[in-house]
Amino acid sequence: MALLPAAARAQSSFQSERSSSLEMTSPLPPAPPRRPWTVVPQIRAYPPDAQLTPGSAAPEITAVRADVAVRGREAATEITVGLRNPTEQLIEAELLLPVPSGAIAGRDKPDGPAAEILGKREARAACQDLVGRTRDPALLEFYDQDLLRSRIFPIPPEGTQTVRLRYAHKLVADGSRIDYLLPRSDSLESRLPWQIQLRIEHGEPLAAIYSPSHEIDVRRSSGQVSVRLRDKDAGKPGSFRLSWLECRDELCASLLAFPEPPIHGGYCLLLAGLRPGVHSGRGPIRREVTLVLDHSGSMNGEKMRQVRSAARRVLEGLSPGETFNLIAYNEAVDRFAERPVARSADSLRRAGQWLDRLVSRGGTNIHAALQAALQQPAPEGALPIVLFLTDGLPTVGQTSERAIRALVQDANRGRRRIFTFGVGVDVNTPLLESVASTSRAFATFVLPGQDVEASLGRVFAALSGPLLADLRLELRSATGGDAGQRLRELIPERLPDLFEGGQLVVVGQYRGSAPLDLALSGEHQGRRRVFRQRLSFAGASRRLAFVPRLWASRKIALLVDTIRSTGADADRAVVHSGHLSTGPRFHEHVSEVVRLSRRYGILTEYTAFLAAGGASAATGSVQAKAERNFVDRALRTRSGLSSVNQELNIQQQATQQVLNPTNRFFDARMQSVDYSSVQQVADLAFFRQGERWIDSRVDPHASRPDRAIRFASPGYWRLVDQLTAQGRCGAMSLRGEILLSLDDEIVLIEAAGTAPVMLMQDATFLEEGGSR
């Protein structure tokens, strides 16, 4: 699709066909003299009138596809919508599409009728008309958007129609960062799969191509980047967002900031990446790889065969000049070499023979195996990586979880990255996660039936081409002086290594609005490199509500992990009256998890009860229930399937870069679950209780609302305008009653479906919206 530089090149078109194999050979009958159906691809098809005649059926939206071409700072978007008419009557319809402000639409033909852009004023009038007629508030989610309205088109009886709308718009730029937005519904009822593809033609190199809304696949070629929405996220609700950095210098970085006046600043997301090819002259950092392999009795048979094969695959994947070692352990420790050796045909042959001699027997001495790996001489100019495999709990030697954690914390003088692999479910999952995260690595859990070789191979492939190690982030005020108090609660606190094609996503809180000078440093080929860039808060916007929610999600994960770590050696802990001693800060940490879960609508397996009315329960009862869940699950459960799921959930949240609007996580049986009774809207969260949506900021102890407002009354539309100015108009799009916290008042908004005659009999609802 060619880029559209002006309105004359933007087009809308449609194609129709019978749903059977017969072609239409006669002209369609004239349209009935009434309003057309209004199809909003993000939501549904709206009827011409508030009441449908008996037996009427709505046209069905069967598919939506978005193809986007970007050149420089202009984008051309083509939306293709598939429709089906299930009735025996001709249906006339129009397409209403939310589009970015300033979008340009043109004609179907040079001399034909044009698709029409409705600016803010006209779009709001159309929205009010449609919402008032159909008594469906869903379109209010886009009350602050321009709208693109197609010309009227027919959908033949029992036939299909394909409608294409094209528009062009200038992209939002904030320094080196370019943002693309495709408006879609946040409603959890909106699950129609969308296909989304972008082609970005660029002159400057692009770095850090990032979507905070959906998971994407990125492919690079000369002068062009292709981005595709992953199939697993095709039905995920929410507007599609994409950002990328035009990288003129070696380091590219940008701040996405969400202002929050109560904290005298707001929340921020630092997006950073290195210009592609920045180290091409010197090449990536050499790796030193040590494989630590469990060959205890439980590894017998297919597990051991897969481990041998995986080890060979890793060694063969090493580049010339890189080094390796092998360590095997059961109750004792055996080394292939006293220190890592260079990869060569001879060393690979001898390593293969050494692997063939391994026999599965004995117990599991995890402490001694880790100690052997950490005691190796520290390499110079290389990134030391340990791949540590086990299928069991520590049973021999020092078996204390706390002692093993302390070993990695205190004895890792060579700063080795210890990537742990738990094979099966009979492993101490919080221990393996702690060993990995403490050393700037991550844990992988290979479930029964999964392939060890494939899992190890995927991780090792991701560790190719390390560019910067031991990253450090320093910030100074642009006017001079330390800026340590300007940014706080940064997550992650310890930055990961940066590999080829990777990017940094750091979230936190900020104070003030003056620019900051960033210095990002890291080790490369034995010397420390420093990259500098100035960061600005000038683009702070309440439209970037994903920033505080991503921060809250990561913060919850850190708190859960801290709570879980206090359960180390729980089997040896002092028990008082049948209760596990939880320590002085346990209550404080659980309380903060509950507060953030309520405020931002983020559920964990420990707080999922909030979705079933718990959010409106008294604070004390919620706290007590959450504490019981944490004790029973986070503290006591250290191994088994119901421990693996906890580690996977924490891991996903702690590194989360993409929103999770359905609150999907793994339950104790490793089943993926999600929730439709918690709706995230902008920076707010609403919990459904019966037919009412309750703002999470409403005090659970409040007995009754201060005001009640009738649906579609003048007071209702004033409230819509007020929330739109705050970037929260989506709160009014919820179906059902809404209990909203607004300016120290609790406001009850009537459900849209309530019949007007019933309202006349209810004196608690006032036409303009007033007090009870």
Side-chain angles (χ1 to χ4, degrees):
M1 180 180 63
L3 188 68
L4 308 184
R9 296 185 61 184
Q11 303 174 14
S12 68
S13 62
F14 63 85
Q15 300 172 346
S16 64
E17 58 181 28
R18 297 287 293 193
S19 56
S20 67
S21 59
L22 297 178
E23 294 185 3
M24 296 183 61
T25 56
S26 58
L28 295 173
R34 61 183 185 127
R35 293 177 185 262
W37 283 78
T38 300
V39 179
V40 183
Q42 288 85 349
I43 306 173
R44 67 180 181 90
Y46 288 86
D49 306 298
Q51 300 294 328
L52 290 174
T53 58
S56 297
E60 300 169 359
I61 305 172
T62 59
V64 183
R65 177 186 176 94
D67 292 283
V68 185
V70 176
R71 182 179 300 152
R73 300 194 177 185
E74 291 190 346
T77 301
E78 177 182 271
I79 305 292
T80 303
V81 182
L83 298 168
R84 177 179 173 271
N85 179 358
T87 75
E88 297 179 355
Q89 306 293 322
L90 172 74
I91 288 179
E92 284 206 330
E94 64 180 5
L95 205 66
L96 202 61
L97 187 72
V99 295
S101 179
I104 303 169
R107 301 177 179 278
D108 184 21
K109 299 177 181 178
D111 57 348
E116 178 185 14
I117 288 286
L118 305 180
K120 290 270 189 303
R121 184 187 296 271
E122 295 170 292
R124 291 183 181 184
C127 184
Q128 289 187 20
D129 173 67
L130 192 62
V131 170
R133 269 194 297 114
T134 62
R135 299 191 66 77
D136 183 347
L139 192 59
L140 292 179
E141 184 176 355
F142 304 108
Y143 196 69
D144 198 31
Q145 301 275 175
D146 291 358
L147 295 174
L148 174 60
R149 182 164 60 193
S150 74
R151 61 191 179 93
I152 297 174
F153 55 85
I155 311 176
E158 298 183 337
T160 62
Q161 179 72 274
T162 300
V163 184
R164 293 187 180 88
L165 286 178
R166 300 184 179 100
Y167 63 89
H169 74 289
K170 288 189 176 296
L171 297 175
V172 175
D174 184 355
S176 64
R177 192 187 79 246
I178 311 296
D179 299 328
Y180 175 84
L181 174 69
L182 179 64
R184 296 174 69 239
S185 176
D186 287 326
S187 172
L188 298 181
E189 299 176 12
S190 177
R191 296 296 185 94
L192 179 71
W194 282 49
Q195 292 180 298
I196 302 174
Q197 296 188 67
L198 291 88
R199 187 181 73 249
I200 306 171
E201 297 181 13
H202 58 89
E204 299 286 350
L206 302 186
I209 299 168
Y210 167 61
S211 172
S213 61
H214 294 77
E215 292 191 23
I216 57 174
D217 290 318
V218 178
R219 298 181 64 181
R220 295 176 180 270
S221 57
S222 179
Q224 183 173 296
V225 172
S226 297
V227 178
R228 185 181 70 86
L229 178 68
R230 288 183 180 172
D231 292 341
K232 66 185 288 289
D233 268 11
K236 180 179 176 180
S239 293
F240 176 77
R241 294 178 175 272
L242 188 72
S243 297
W244 59 90
L245 303 179
E246 292 183 337
C247 217
R248 298 179 180 87
D249 301 318
E250 290 187 315
L251 173 73
C252 321
S254 180
L255 275 177
L256 294 92
F258 177 89
E260 190 76 291
I263 64 173
H264 307 288
Y267 296 88
C268 61
L269 183 151
L270 171 66
L271 178 64
L274 294 175
R275 189 182 69 215
V278 68
H279 284 301
S280 58
R282 292 176 290 272
I285 305 171
R286 291 183 297 108
R287 296 169 296 178
E288 176 208 87
V289 177
T290 300
L291 285 125
V292 184
L293 310 176
D294 182 350
H295 71 116
S296 59
S298 56
M299 288 291 293
N300 191 37
E302 179 62 17
K303 284 185 190 176
M304 201 66 227
R305 187 201 65 78
Q306 289 186 17
V307 165
R308 289 192 188 96
S309 181
R312 288 189 174 92
R313 180 175 173 180
V314 168
L315 299 183
E316 291 167 358
L318 293 173
S319 300
E322 294 185 321
T323 58
F324 72 91
N325 202 357
L326 299 168
I327 296 174
Y329 69 99
N330 44 25
E331 66 269 13
V333 175
D334 186 21
R335 299 172 178 81
F336 167 69
E338 286 302 313
R339 59 191 306 149
V341 299
R343 180 198 187 278
S344 67
D346 179 64
S347 62
L348 292 180
R349 178 185 57 78
R350 289 188 291 110
Q353 294 172 345
W354 188 88
L355 288 168
D356 288 339
R357 291 195 295 269
L358 291 180
V359 177
S360 301
R361 63 187 175 199
T364 307
N365 195 336
I366 288 178
H367 186 277
L370 281 169
Q371 195 170 44
L374 297 177
Q375 285 177 344
Q376 297 181 109
E380 292 186 7
L383 181 65
I385 294 171
V386 175
L387 303 177
F388 187 95
L389 282 80
T390 185
D391 79 331
L393 303 169
T395 59
V396 178
Q398 177 57 270
T399 60
S400 163
E401 180 181 332
R402 293 183 187 275
I404 296 172
R405 288 172 180 248
L407 171 71
V408 175
Q409 183 74 43
D410 301 334
N412 190 8
R413 297 180 183 86
R415 296 179 297 181
R416 285 180 162 80
R417 278 59 170 161
I418 308 172
F419 293 87
T420 56
F421 295 80
V423 181
V425 298
D426 296 324
V427 294
N428 186 322
T429 63
L431 171 61
L432 296 182
E433 178 62 37
S434 173
V435 167
S437 60
T438 299
S439 63
R440 281 193 167 101
F442 55 83
T444 300
F445 298 98
V446 186
L447 299 178
Q450 294 182 341
D451 190 278
V452 178
E453 179 180 358
S455 298
L456 185 59
R458 279 193 297 270
V459 171
F460 186 66
L463 301 178
S464 64
L467 298 178
L468 285 177
D470 294 320
L471 291 182
R472 296 175 194 166
L473 184 65
E474 296 180 6
L475 294 163
R476 298 187 68 81
S477 171
T479 57
D482 181 55
Q485 300 302 313
R486 291 282 311 281
L487 288 186
R488 60 179 190 168
E489 297 268 8
L490 292 180
I491 308 173
E493 183 179 3
R494 178 178 296 176
L495 300 181
D497 299 320
L498 193 58
F499 290 83
E500 195 166 356
Q503 60 197 26
L504 289 178
V505 177
V506 181
V507 291
Q509 297 179 3
Y510 71 90
R511 297 285 184 91
S513 58
L516 291 173
D517 286 333
L518 165 76
L520 181 69
S521 64
E523 296 285 342
H524 180 80
Q525 301 287 33
R527 69 186 186 96
R528 193 149 198 92
R529 299 207 62 198
V530 182
F531 304 90
R532 304 183 187 279
Q533 185 167 329
R534 177 156 293 184
L535 301 175
S536 171
F537 293 93
S541 169
R542 293 193 64 82
R543 294 180 181 273
L544 304 178
F546 60 87
V547 174
R549 184 161 278 112
L550 286 175
W551 174 85
S553 189
R554 289 191 183 185
K555 182 66 175 179
I556 288 171
L558 293 186
L559 290 167
V560 171
D561 188 58
T562 299
I563 294 169
R564 194 145 159 74
S565 69
T566 63
D569 300 330
D571 56 328
R572 310 177 189 192
V574 177
V575 176
H576 299 283
S577 303
H579 297 289
L580 184 68
S581 178
T582 54
R585 302 198 65 184
F586 175 77
H587 179 88
E588 177 186 331
H589 289 148
V590 174
S591 177
E592 184 64 2
V593 168
V594 170
R595 185 189 73 82
L596 291 172
S597 296
R598 268 178 155 165
R599 172 62 183 86
Y600 291 101
I602 299 169
L603 302 182
T604 66
E605 58 188 294
Y606 318 102
T607 58
F609 65 89
L610 295 172
S616 58
T619 302
S621 64
V622 170
Q623 177 78 15
K625 188 165 186 176
E627 287 187 5
R628 287 196 299 272
N629 289 345
F630 273 107
V631 168
D632 292 342
R633 300 278 293 118
L635 299 187
R636 294 184 185 274
T637 307
R638 317 299 286 178
S639 63
L641 195 64
S642 58
S643 184
V644 172
N645 88 290
Q646 294 184 70
E647 235 51 62
L648 292 177
N649 290 333
I650 294 171
Q651 194 178 85
Q652 188 277 329
Q653 270 195 282
T655 60
Q656 186 175 341
Q657 297 187 9
V658 178
L659 292 174
N660 180 16
T662 62
N663 278 299
R664 177 164 296 177
F665 59 78
F666 292 111
D667 66 13
R669 297 169 307 201
M670 277 300 295
Q671 300 297 309
S672 179
V673 296
D674 55 23
Y675 293 83
S676 59
S677 56
V678 181
Q679 178 68 63
Q680 300 170 358
V681 179
D683 64 320
L684 305 181
F686 291 82
F687 290 78
R688 188 172 62 203
Q689 188 170 333
E691 297 302 314
R692 176 179 289 181
W693 289 97
I694 302 176
D695 185 342
S696 67
R697 300 170 300 164
V698 170
D699 185 348
H701 299 93
S703 59
R704 59 190 305 174
D706 300 300
R707 284 195 295 150
I709 295 181
R710 179 191 291 183
F711 176 78
S713 67
Y716 178 90
W717 291 113
R718 285 197 295 271
L719 181 58
V720 172
D721 287 336
Q722 185 176 353
L723 290 172
T724 299
Q726 298 176 4
R728 294 167 169 170
C729 55
M732 299 295 284
S733 69
L734 300 172
R735 292 190 175 98
E737 285 187 345
I738 304 170
L739 197 62
L740 179 70
S741 176
L742 184 71
D743 298 335
D744 298 323
E745 280 189 317
I746 300 176
V747 180
L748 179 64
I749 301 158
E750 166 219 339
T754 307
V757 66
M758 296 291 291
L759 290 175
M760 296 300 293
Q761 299 170 5
D762 187 352
T764 63
F765 286 99
L766 305 180
E767 178 68 27
E768 298 298 322
S771 301
R772 280 187 181 273

